[in-house]
């Protein structure tokens, strides 16, 4: 619920920075307490429901966390009208935390690329100097009905291929296991279901892979007016063709459900925020789950050792009270080694998972005054003042304690709702909406561990993306139909704008983090890729292009940019791919890919390979003055279903 500025006397973040936040009550224990048994858990939920009904608080609109998400996706899908080993050395994905792979749409597995698109898996041989489509397979169980399911995320470890989806028809998160064979073919192995509500976020990814361990975050929404909410608690089954809820076994007992000492807010939905892990050891996945019970608003972040879940809700001020609406927030730390969670009361709301950084013995989080977490598109609508929380991990305990004044730092706010943020080295960078007509800075850089002021950055354009360029950073955004790239040089002493590049007449074609990739070739040299489309072109849901236009590549030399050119998709695309499930590219469909010195672009059902020509120096010139370089197309393949030989482009799936 947005804050009424006419009645807002002081923000929660201002209260936090002034020391007027709840103080810790006594010495907290080191971790949260779980419910003692099932009866204690049910009694707590029944008491919350009774208080809600007694106050006659009317039901809220369906939450995007639950079945309401289906209607939102279907409505957006109609508007979009779509056309007919995870080792770091092999990573082709822009990830937030080194060693923590995120579910995506394309992964590398040895000599093959594996692509997840529109309900199907595809393999393309890239080993040696190959670029050859090999196989395709439905991303769901043979013989199953994929209607009402979205197959969103792909993870690969060795020969194990994992597809994570959400099935409204079959009860929640769906985990499909496949095998990548030596010849590049795929074989279906098993399907598992984790009962949950929709995990979708416009910015975050529901799954992670750390070594051989799968990590899932899933929410379960509990309504104050629902009957027996414990019947919706997370459950697991290996799917064997059931058409109903048969076979599910609850996986989170009361003794693995944790909470703080706060009373549940009457009339507000609760969520069981569940983290489930399983080792990739055969087809029968052995799962371990831990859950925290709290408000429905959520943002989560995965470090190498823990999952952090930030929960938030809004307390409505009574009609007879003049106090403003204030957010109720807490951050939970769920260790991945199975130890009991810990928690801390907090203020404000993070923007997305990129607002977090576990830095040694501290947790750093960039906060805004108001927001609803990151479910569906909520990250695009945060608002209000901003602050940085930097708190020692030792402050986490049994949930009675609160972050104190010394842990918050007010920072300058930026314009707009769709704020971008990223930690790069010792710095936090954040930026926002259109700079035109705005007399403040579009972005700021802050040494998050030092007691120094934020550095204002005015690149002269909106900030729609922030990325790391090795030890430095990059701001990307639009102005007047052009796309601007502004480098930020970062060192221990200062942050300042450096080289710039203007690409006329285009805009970003992808907004997700995986749409960008930077291949560093030295500390000061590298190549970056970003999907783009013509400015003003028809865009789909969540500001993404429908179809795929091109992937732009820039050379970075000492934060000075030159355009290498773009690899473009074929005009017209695939008109009819006989799509049966997941027929909207919610996670995008274009990616830059670097394989050693090779430069490729995934665009829809095509992979285009380019070659960088030129380079070197003119005789007598300074070594800092390179020759002109350009990216020329070398070859392309289509792996579209039903494709045929055409224009010399091979697809094995034609007649």
């Amino acid at each position: 619920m947005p804050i009424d500025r006419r009645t807002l006397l002081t923000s929660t973040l201002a209260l936090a920075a002034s020391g007027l936040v709840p103080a810790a009550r006594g010495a907290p224990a080191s971790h949260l307490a779980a419910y003692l048994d099932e009866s204690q858990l049910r009694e707590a939920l029944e008491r919350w429901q009774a208080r809600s009904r007694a106050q006659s608080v009317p039901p809220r609109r369906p939450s995007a966390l639950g079945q309401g998400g289906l209607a939102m996706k279907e409505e957006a899908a109609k508007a979009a009208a779509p056309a007919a080993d995870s080792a770091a050395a092999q990573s082709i994905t822009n990830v937030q935390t080194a060693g923590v792979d995120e579910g995506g749409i394309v992964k590398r597995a040895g000599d093959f690329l594996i692509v997840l698109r529109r309900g199907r898996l595809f393999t393309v041989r890239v080993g040696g100097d190959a670029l050859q489509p090999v196989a395709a397979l439905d991303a769901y169980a043979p013989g199953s009905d994929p209607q009402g399911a979205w197959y969103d995320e792909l993870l690969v470890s060795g020969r194990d291929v994992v597809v994570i989806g959400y099935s409204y028809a079959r009860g929640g998160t769906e985990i499909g296991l496949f095998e990548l064979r030596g010849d590049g073919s795929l074989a279906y192995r098993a399907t598992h279901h984790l009962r949950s509500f929709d995990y979708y976020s416009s910015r975050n990814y529901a799954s992670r892979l750390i070594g051989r361990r799968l990590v899932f975050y899933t929410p379960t929404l509990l309504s104050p007016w629902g009957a027996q909410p414990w019947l919706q608690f997370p459950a697991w089954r290996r799917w064997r063709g059931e058409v109903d809820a048969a076979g599910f076994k609850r996986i989170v007992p009361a003794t693995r459900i944790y909470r703080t000492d706060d009373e549940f807010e009457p009339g507000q939905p609760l969520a069981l925020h569940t983290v489930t892990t399983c080792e990739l050891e055969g087809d029968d996945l052995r799962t371990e789950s831990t859950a925290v019970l709290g408000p429905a608003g959520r943002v989560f972040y995965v470090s190498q050792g823990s999952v952090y879940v930030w929960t938030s809700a809004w307390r409505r001020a009574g009609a007879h009270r003049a106090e403003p609406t204030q957010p109720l927030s807490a951050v939970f730390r769920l260790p991945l080694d199975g130890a009991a969670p810990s928690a801390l009361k907090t203020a404000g709301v993070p923007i997305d998972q990129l607002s977090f950084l576990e830095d040694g013995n501290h947790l750093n989080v960039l906060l805004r005054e108001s927001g609803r977490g990151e479910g569906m598109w909520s990250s695009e609508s945060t608002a209000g003042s901003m602050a940085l929380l930097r708190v020692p991990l030792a402050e986490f305990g049994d949930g009675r304690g609160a972050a104190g004044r010394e842990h918050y730092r007010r920072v300058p706010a930026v314009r707009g709702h769709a704020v971008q943020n990223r930690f790069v080295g010792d710095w936090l960078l954040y930026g926002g909406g259109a700079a035109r007509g705005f007399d403040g800075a579009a972005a700021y850089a802050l040494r998050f561990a030092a007691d120094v002021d934020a550095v204002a950055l005015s690149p002269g354009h909106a900030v729609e993306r922030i990325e790391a360029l090795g030890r430095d950073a990059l701001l990307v955004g639009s102005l007047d139909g052009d796309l601007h790239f502004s480098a930020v040089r970062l060192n221990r002493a200062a942050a300042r704008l450096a080289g710039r590049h203007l690409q006329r007449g285009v805009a970003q074609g992808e907004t997700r983090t995986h749409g960008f990739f930077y291949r560093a070739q030295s500390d000061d040299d590298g190549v970056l890729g970003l999907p783009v489309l013509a400015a003003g072109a028809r865009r789909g849901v969540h500001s993404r292009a429908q179809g795929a236009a091109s992937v732009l590549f820039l050379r970075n030399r000492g934060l000075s940019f030159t355009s290498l050119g773009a690899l473009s998709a074929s005009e017209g695309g695939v008109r009819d791919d006989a799509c049966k499930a997941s027929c909207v590219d919610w996670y995008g469909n274009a990616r830059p890919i670097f394989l050693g010195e090779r430069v490729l672009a995934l665009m829809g059902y095509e992979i285009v390979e380019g070659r960088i020509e030129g380079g070197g120096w003119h005789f007598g010139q300074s070594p800092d003055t390179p020759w002109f370089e350009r990216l020329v197309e070398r070859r392309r393949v289509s792996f579209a279903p039903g494709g045929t030989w055409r224009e010399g482009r091979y697809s094995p799936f034609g007649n």
Side-chain angles (χ1 to χ4, degrees):
M1 178 183 297
I3 291 179
D4 184 346
R5 298 268 175 189
R6 294 171 295 180
T7 61
L8 180 60
L9 302 178
T10 180
S11 74
T12 301
L13 292 180
L15 291 172
S18 302
L20 301 179
V21 292
R25 288 165 284 179
S30 61
H31 57 78
L32 292 167
Y35 288 96
L36 296 177
D37 52 32
E38 194 74 17
S39 62
Q40 187 186 51
L41 172 61
R42 292 190 181 190
E43 190 277 331
L45 292 173
E46 288 170 345
R47 184 171 63 250
W48 161 66
Q49 289 185 315
R51 291 179 62 207
S52 297
R53 292 162 181 165
Q55 293 188 13
S56 300
V57 181
R60 302 169 68 85
R61 295 176 61 185
S63 169
L65 283 169
Q67 299 298 328
L70 175 61
M72 294 174 69
K73 278 191 172 183
E74 287 182 339
E75 181 179 352
K78 291 176 182 177
D85 194 64
S86 64
Q90 289 198 352
S91 176
I92 58 171
T93 302
N94 176 12
V95 298
Q96 178 181 8
T97 302
V100 181
D101 196 15
E102 303 166 347
I105 65 168
V106 59
K107 300 291 179 182
R108 183 182 181 183
D111 289 340
F112 301 95
L113 292 179
I114 305 176
V115 181
L116 172 66
R117 184 160 196 245
R118 293 167 67 85
R120 295 185 177 97
L121 287 167
F122 304 88
T123 61
V124 178
R125 187 186 303 276
V126 293
D129 190 42
L131 187 64
Q132 178 186 17
V134 177
L137 190 68
D138 288 337
Y140 44 87
S144 65
D145 182 357
Q147 294 298 311
W150 298 94
Y151 298 97
D152 298 320
E153 301 182 17
L154 168 69
L155 289 165
V156 178
S157 178
R159 295 294 178 183
D160 294 311
V161 178
V162 185
V163 174
I164 296 90
Y166 189 83
S167 172
Y168 293 95
R170 289 186 286 274
T173 303
E174 185 168 305
I175 300 100
L177 301 180
F178 300 82
E179 179 184 353
L180 174 65
R181 294 172 172 166
D183 62 356
S185 61
L186 293 161
Y188 169 79
R189 287 167 40 195
T191 295
H192 296 261
H193 290 140
L194 171 58
R195 188 166 64 199
S196 72
F197 281 64
D198 198 343
Y199 54 72
Y200 180 79
S201 165
S202 63
R203 297 196 183 186
N204 209 343
Y205 305 92
S207 62
R208 304 291 193 274
L209 180 66
I210 305 175
R212 294 279 293 169
R213 175 183 289 185
L214 292 169
V215 180
F216 306 101
Y217 165 81
T218 53
T220 299
L221 191 69
L222 307 177
S223 169
W225 292 270
Q228 298 180 317
W230 47 88
L231 296 180
Q232 301 180 65
F233 279 12
W236 188 276
R237 72 177 177 187
R238 178 170 176 176
W239 188 70
R240 303 184 187 277
E242 296 92 341
V243 294
D244 52 22
F248 274 111
K249 294 183 179 179
R250 183 169 150 185
I251 57 174
V252 188
T255 53
R256 293 293 295 173
I257 297 176
Y258 300 82
R259 55 154 297 180
T260 71
D261 62 326
D262 285 328
E263 283 294 323
F264 301 140
E265 190 70 9
Q268 290 282 347
L270 291 176
L272 197 64
H273 304 277
T274 305
V275 173
T276 300
T277 65
C278 50
E279 297 291 334
L280 280 172
E281 297 176 351
D283 297 345
D284 289 317
L285 298 177
R286 293 182 295 107
T287 64
E288 294 182 357
S289 296
T290 302
V292 293
L293 193 55
R298 45 83 175 180
V299 183
F300 81 97
Y301 155 70
V302 184
S303 71
Q304 288 193 343
S306 299
V307 178
Y308 292 87
V309 181
W310 189 291
T311 67
S312 57
W314 291 96
R315 174 181 288 130
R316 297 179 179 180
H320 62 285
R321 294 156 61 189
E323 69 180 76
T325 301
Q326 294 182 8
L328 304 173
S329 300
V331 58
F332 296 87
R333 184 188 186 202
L334 291 80
L336 288 172
D337 63 4
S342 54
L344 192 66
K345 289 182 171 65
T346 52
V349 183
I351 299 159
D352 55 27
Q353 84 275 13
L354 297 176
S355 303
F356 291 77
L357 175 67
E358 184 187 84
D359 170 42
N361 295 320
H362 289 80
L363 178 68
N364 306 274
V365 191
L366 180 64
L367 303 169
R368 296 205 80 181
E369 182 180 334
S370 65
R372 289 189 171 276
E374 63 182 4
M376 292 294 167
W377 294 273
S378 296
S379 288
E380 317 305 328
S381 57
T382 60
S385 302
M386 303 184 73
L388 174 68
L389 173 69
R390 177 172 169 81
V391 61
L393 298 182
E395 294 290 326
F396 282 75
D398 63 3
R400 293 184 295 145
R405 175 181 181 179
E406 69 276 16
H407 301 134
Y408 293 91
R409 188 191 332 179
R410 290 291 297 275
V411 298
V414 293
R415 183 184 184 187
H417 297 284
V419 170
Q420 306 295 317
N421 55 167
R422 190 122 194 181
F423 287 90
V424 180
D426 295 332
W427 292 83
L428 163 67
L429 294 99
Y430 62 97
R436 191 171 191 177
F438 180 53
D439 56 5
Y444 289 89
L446 176 69
R447 286 275 307 284
F448 59 84
D451 187 17
V452 294
D453 292 336
V455 178
L457 302 170
S458 298
H461 57 80
V463 177
E464 300 164 343
R465 177 182 290 273
I466 301 176
E467 298 288 354
L469 287 183
R471 61 194 175 193
D472 299 303
L474 177 69
L475 311 178
V476 182
S478 298
L479 181 68
D480 295 336
D482 300 322
L483 190 61
H484 296 251
F485 297 77
S486 297
V488 183
R489 189 176 300 280
L490 302 172
N491 55 50
R492 293 189 61 83
R496 63 178 179 84
L497 291 169
R500 301 168 183 258
H501 176 76
L502 170 64
Q503 195 73 23
R504 294 195 179 278
V506 302
Q508 282 198 98
E510 297 280 358
T511 57
R512 282 193 172 268
T513 55
H514 291 181
F516 174 94
F517 200 81
Y518 178 67
R519 184 186 66 187
Q521 296 174 305
S522 71
D523 287 345
D524 299 304
D525 187 12
V527 178
L528 65 89
L530 179 68
V532 297
L533 71 159
R538 180 171 175 267
R539 304 176 72 85
V541 294
H542 183 45
S543 300
R544 288 185 292 97
Q546 292 303 299
S550 59
V551 177
L552 173 69
F553 293 89
L554 303 181
R555 165 73 71 185
N556 165 39
R557 279 199 173 94
L559 301 186
S560 177
F561 299 112
T562 55
S563 175
L564 298 174
L567 298 175
S568 299
S570 298
E571 294 185 6
V574 177
R575 297 184 179 181
D576 183 8
D577 60 1
C579 182
K580 297 179 180 178
S582 203
C583 297
V584 174
D585 295 318
W586 294 102
Y587 286 58
N589 61 23
R591 299 287 187 268
I593 300 172
F594 299 101
L595 302 176
E597 294 302 311
R598 296 172 66 184
V599 179
L600 303 98
L602 168 68
M603 294 171 289
Y605 286 120
E606 285 186 295
I607 296 180
V608 184
E609 182 172 0
R611 179 177 58 247
I612 298 176
E613 295 184 343
W617 289 265
H618 290 292
F619 178 76
Q621 281 190 322
S622 164
D624 295 329
T625 306
W627 279 359
F628 173 75
E629 291 180 294
R630 63 173 182 167
L631 181 68
V632 297
E633 182 178 327
R634 181 185 178 198
R635 55 186 171 177
R636 67 175 63 209
V637 295
S638 169
F639 53 90
T644 59
W645 285 87
R646 62 177 184 272
E647 300 179 15
R649 299 165 188 166
Y650 174 70
S651 172
F653 311 119
N655 298 325

